[in-house]
Amino acid sequence: MTVDGRVVAGRYRLGRRIGSGAMGVVWQAHDELLYRTVAVKQLLLQPGQSEAEADEAKRRAMREGRIAARLQHPNAVSVFDVVDEGDGMPWLVMEYVPSKSLSAVLDERGSLPPQEAARIGMHVASALAAAHAAGIVHRDVKPGNVLLGEDGTVKITDFGISRAAGDGTVTATGMLAGTPAYLAPEIAKGHDPTPASDVFSLAATVYAAVEGVPPFGLSDNPLALLHKVASGQITPPQQAGLLTTPLMELLAAEPTERVDMNAVREAMGAVASGQHAPSFVAHQPAPATVAAQQRPHQPPPPRQQPPSRATSTAALPPVRPPQQRPVGEPEPSKLNRGAAIGVALAVVAAAVVGVLVVQMLNSKQQNNGGTGGGSQGGGTSATSGPSTTASTLPSRQPVTSDPTAEQSVQLVRDLYSQLPSGDLAAAWAMYTPDYQAKLGSESAWKSTLASSMQSISLSNVQSKGGDVYVVVADAHITKKDNSKVKQPMLFSIRWDGKQIFVNNETKVGAATPES
């Protein structure tokens, strides 16, 4: 279709075509009233649509204009006007951004360095946090909807299938809201989108930026891809560097395990500046309102000396002591803010504690003599047999300088060597107070371990990509009913300047049965 030179609404003279999508074509245009360049989206009816479908498409287009106009943010493309030319569909007049989409950039470059991807993710998260605060869920966050300006600006666009609180639902029967490769698992299962769904899609977009492919891969068969998305089985990133831990936690299969978009923005900002992102302690937002998912940040706990790990659950001091903090690194309180938020908002009842622990640890596999599968990085895999005593647990030596990968790996091995029925007090002391708060009381944690599994052992224990603060392993679990599964796990490690602790345990995809 050629409409070059056409004047829309008596003032917008169309120029070159700059984009197209499922709902229409975007033109660069000149606003002859205000003498500025704009983008005009010509919304098109699809061939073969009935009159009712065409009417629904018009209402959806008007809804896009209303929703997008509600959001005014420097990292979101603004909508200036919606006009009706009497030719069947409205035209949207939008901010013109000289740019390329992230999708086009990835086609050219293949992938981006982690810090560059994190900078993009930080700006998009900032816009989406504002959208969520306004009651808007984007529902189609993907590289094609992220614009990278020639001057370094980053903007999210195309709120065409967004849903805003208070707007009537306008969705064609059978219409899938979002692009399959970047959908959250709950959407693929048919659930309604929420802000947590946008968190997953943004993490998937950043994942694609550093890996070159989305977390569920690519497929010409959309149904097969949807099935894979619904399973939640992602491929752990190999090139993400400092982004590895936040991406794995933001890509959690359960939406209640993801933090809000404000925490995402802070984590991406930390990585963009070359720092370790704070490990998230996910909280379950109040389901009734969007506002409950946008709670304000809580200040981190006051700095104090490390407590005795055997008995205290006081807050940890900063991740790294001031005298050893590299030049240019922000205060540790900023790095830990995401974890502090999660703890402040977590409301974990004893019943929920049981579910969380079972999901993360599952069961235990009997492993006599440390033969739970060849572990990597030296040493033996973690094992659990008959009840052991504290004397079987190696003495915890102080870690007074930056930890090594071997020390982080050994920490995970030592912790799991006591589960589920060994020296559980010593194992509990290897968790940070933040993570202890997420698990609940020590007694409830011990009770759940005893009631849910016979044995658990680890194999293939190693640091992830050389990052000393990320450890991955396969957990081999024997449940109380004698069924056995293998569950890939990711562990976040925190250092307080004197000792290292496990700050989070995350399932990586679904468990697989073992004979």
Side-chain angles (χ1 to χ4, degrees):
M1 178 183 297
T2 301
V3 293
D4 189 24
R6 173 177 176 176
V7 178
V8 175
R11 61 184 283 190
Y12 305 111
R13 184 173 298 277
L14 303 185
R16 65 185 180 92
R17 173 172 166 166
I18 57 176
S20 61
M23 292 183 64
V25 180
V26 182
W27 305 85
Q28 181 180 332
H30 179 68
D31 184 346
E32 296 184 335
L33 180 62
L34 298 179
Y35 297 100
R36 64 179 176 180
T37 301
V38 296
V40 176
K41 186 173 185 179
Q42 180 188 17
L43 297 158
L44 303 175
L45 293 174
Q46 301 303 309
Q49 282 186 320
S50 66
E51 183 176 345
E53 291 171 334
D55 182 64
E56 183 176 277
K58 294 176 187 178
R59 289 186 286 121
R60 191 182 307 121
M62 293 300 295
R63 189 165 140 273
E64 174 183 359
R66 288 195 305 271
I67 291 173
R70 182 186 301 181
L71 178 62
Q72 298 297 319
H73 190 277
N75 296 116
V77 173
S78 299
V79 171
F80 298 144
D81 199 2
V82 182
V83 298
D84 187 351
E85 283 287 275
D87 54 1
M89 287 290 282
W91 296 62
L92 298 181
V93 182
M94 304 176 291
E95 172 188 8
Y96 173 70
V97 183
S99 61
K100 290 182 178 179
S101 71
L102 175 57
S103 178
V105 170
L106 293 178
D107 286 343
E108 295 173 0
R109 298 174 56 182
S111 62
L112 303 179
Q115 283 186 247
E116 185 176 352
R119 185 189 71 85
I120 294 169
M122 174 186 67
H123 288 303
V124 175
S126 182
L128 291 173
H132 295 169
I136 300 169
V137 179
H138 189 285
R139 304 206 293 176
D140 196 21
V141 181
K142 61 182 180 181
N145 283 336
V146 176
L147 302 183
L148 307 180
E150 297 172 355
D151 60 354
T153 59
V154 178
K155 290 181 179 281
I156 180 79
T157 188
D158 200 354
F159 283 79
I161 60 172
S162 301
R163 184 176 67 182
D167 273 328
T169 300
V170 184
T171 305
T173 301
M175 176 181 176
L176 179 66
T179 303
Y182 300 93
L183 283 179
E186 65 270 16
I187 307 303
K189 294 176 182 177
H191 298 293
D192 289 337
T194 67
S197 307
D198 280 352
V199 168
F200 187 99
S201 295
L202 176 56
T205 296
V206 175
Y207 178 110
V210 293
E211 297 295 307
V213 293
F216 297 107
L218 296 170
S219 174
D220 293 331
N221 185 336
L223 292 179
L225 185 56
L226 278 176
H227 178 76
K228 190 173 183 181
V229 172
S231 74
Q233 298 185 47
I234 67 171
T235 301
Q238 303 299 313
Q239 304 172 164
L242 294 175
L243 276 171
T244 300
T245 297
L247 285 181
M248 291 303 300
E249 296 183 1
L250 294 173
L251 291 170
E254 293 297 327
T256 54
E257 295 180 4
R258 302 174 208 141
V259 294
D260 67 20
M261 199 63 77
N262 288 305
V264 177
R265 179 189 60 213
E266 292 192 3
M268 293 292 168
V271 176
S273 64
Q275 311 302 326
H276 284 279
S279 179
F280 302 121
V281 179
H283 59 86
Q284 183 173 2
T289 64
V290 174
Q293 302 181 27
Q294 298 295 322
R295 301 183 183 185
H297 294 315
Q298 300 296 323
R303 301 169 75 175
Q304 54 185 280
Q305 292 300 313
S308 169
R309 295 300 302 168
T311 59
S312 175
T313 58
L316 284 173
V319 173
R320 186 181 289 113
Q323 66 272 20
Q324 296 176 345
R325 191 169 66 251
V327 176
E329 181 175 333
E331 285 294 324
S333 59
K334 296 179 181 178
L335 296 179
N336 291 333
R337 186 179 300 170
I341 299 164
V343 174
L345 299 179
V347 182
V348 185
V352 177
V353 171
V355 174
L356 286 173
V357 175
V358 170
Q359 286 179 336
M360 290 182 291
L361 301 180
N362 297 294
S363 280
K364 155 193 147 200
Q365 179 183 20
Q366 186 67 35
N367 184 17
N368 295 323
T371 57
S375 64
Q376 300 182 19
T380 60
S381 62
T383 63
S384 289
S387 179
T388 59
T389 65
S391 62
T392 65
L393 186 63
S395 175
R396 293 263 280 158
Q397 299 299 318
V399 180
T400 56
S401 59
D402 285 310
T404 65
E406 290 75 14
Q407 288 172 319
S408 295
V409 166
Q410 192 60 49
L411 168 67
V412 173
R413 287 201 189 103
D414 288 346
L415 189 157
Y416 269 67
S417 70
Q418 303 306 310
L419 304 184
S421 57
D423 187 352
L424 296 184
W428 178 258
M430 294 182 189
Y431 290 127
T432 63
D434 286 347
Y435 195 51
Q436 289 173 350
K438 179 180 177 181
L439 294 176
S441 69
E442 181 178 355
S443 60
W445 173 73
K446 291 179 180 178
S447 175
T448 300
L449 289 175
S451 64
S452 63
M453 62 181 67
Q454 293 186 41
S455 63
I456 182 168
S457 64
L458 298 181
S459 67
N460 302 320
V461 190
Q462 56 188 306
S463 63
K464 179 63 178 176
D467 186 343
V468 300
Y469 295 103
V470 183
V471 173
V472 293
D474 291 329
H476 304 274
I477 302 152
T478 302
K479 301 180 181 180
K480 283 294 186 181
D481 62 0
N482 291 320
S483 63
K484 299 179 180 181
V485 296
K486 181 176 77 172
Q487 173 66 68
M489 299 287 293
L490 180 144
F491 303 88
S492 300
I493 308 301
R494 185 187 292 181
W495 177 50
D496 70 353
K498 294 188 177 182
Q499 190 54 270
I500 54 176
F501 305 96
V502 172
N503 191 56
N504 204 14
E505 301 160 306
T506 306
K507 294 185 300 180
V508 183
T512 56
E514 290 190 312
S515 57

